[in-house]
Amino acid sequence: MAIAFFDLDKTLVRCNTATLWTRREVRLGHLSRWQAVRAAFWIARYHLGAAALEQAIEKAVSTLAGVREDGIRARSVALWREEVAALVRPGARAALERHRARGDRLVMLTTSSNYLAEIAAGDLGLDDFLCNRFEVVDGVFTGAPLRPLCFGPGKLSHAAAHAQRHGVALGDCAFYTDSFSDLPVLEAVGEPVAVHPDPRLARLARRRGWRMELWD
């Protein structure tokens, strides 16, 4: 058995779920427009290379302090069913079926929260999901993320620990992603695949001879 890891945003689905979540929360009145502007600011700074996404994640999680977990869980399920499920790339389903036919273990490896990752992984028939999780006490968020964050080197830590638990070497694993930020995992697995890669990842994939795929 090998493991095939799959990123979620802009890989399995053709959208950024954090952006959809922010817009939806504003529409529903759970997030102020000022909070949405701040979130967009941090995302923009990240894309410009001026700030690490870890900071954006920490700031986003801090806004949940005092919020009940059950509400976030229910709204995450609604987001997936009403807005994201229809955006699953056709080629993503085909890739999942190829690995499933080979007997590989299918695992989502995403920076998204466990609330969205859980419903997405279940809907797509994945075996497990690795993601960001938040500290909860008595059903209420404290505003702190659990570490290591599932991003960059932290994603590699999650993937390596999962592979070790299942007795699989990372060299026998595949990883599908669109993002250059996932370079630590791409360099560690035996089958790195760039799916709809961002410009930096596309350039690197061409230099290193990594497979590139378009799933639309």
Side-chain angles (χ1 to χ4, degrees):
M1 181 189 71
I3 299 174
F5 294 104
F6 295 86
D7 177 49
L8 176 62
D9 292 326
K10 296 190 175 182
T11 303
L12 289 174
V13 297
R14 61 171 65 98
C15 65
N16 184 302
T17 57
T19 299
L20 292 185
W21 169 265
T22 301
R23 292 174 180 170
R24 185 182 178 93
E25 288 287 279
V26 171
R27 289 199 310 271
L28 295 176
H30 299 297
L31 197 65
S32 71
R33 292 193 179 277
W34 170 240
Q35 289 173 313
V37 168
R38 289 180 63 192
F41 169 75
W42 280 101
I43 292 173
R45 287 193 67 194
Y46 161 67
H47 286 300
L48 290 171
L53 187 57
E54 286 95 331
Q55 291 176 283
I57 293 171
E58 290 169 354
K59 286 186 175 294
V61 176
S62 69
T63 66
L64 292 175
V67 175
R68 290 200 58 81
E69 179 188 30
D70 51 7
I72 296 296
R73 187 184 301 279
R75 300 205 297 275
S76 296
V77 171
L79 173 69
W80 173 263
R81 291 177 176 169
E82 296 172 16
E83 299 190 37
V84 183
L87 300 179
V88 174
R89 298 187 192 272
R93 296 188 187 278
L96 291 171
E97 286 306 315
R98 286 199 304 271
H99 282 281
R100 190 175 285 117
R102 282 163 43 176
D104 294 340
R105 183 174 178 81
L106 309 179
V107 179
M108 184 179 294
L109 181 61
T110 176
T111 302
S112 296
S113 74
N114 57 294
Y115 307 102
L116 187 63
E118 181 177 19
I119 183 66
D123 197 37
L124 293 171
L126 275 63
D127 298 297
D128 211 338
F129 57 93
L130 307 173
C131 57
N132 279 309
R133 297 174 183 270
F134 314 138
E135 185 179 67
V136 177
V137 177
D138 296 329
V140 176
F141 292 106
T142 67
L146 298 183
R147 297 184 182 278
L149 293 177
C150 196
F151 170 76
K155 253 191 182 181
L156 177 57
S157 297
H158 282 278
H162 186 88
Q164 184 176 40
R165 285 196 299 271
H166 291 275
V168 179
L170 282 178
D172 294 328
C173 297
F175 181 43
Y176 296 81
T177 183
D178 72 294
S179 179
F180 182 83
S181 67
D182 288 331
L183 184 59
V185 184
L186 287 166
E187 291 181 324
V189 299
E191 188 180 351
V193 185
V195 179
H196 294 268
D198 64 34
R200 286 184 297 175
L201 180 55
R203 288 193 295 269
L204 183 65
R206 283 192 290 269
R207 287 203 303 269
R208 298 196 179 182
W210 291 345
R211 193 163 83 249
M212 288 192 284
E213 296 186 357
L214 300 178
W215 284 356
D216 283 339

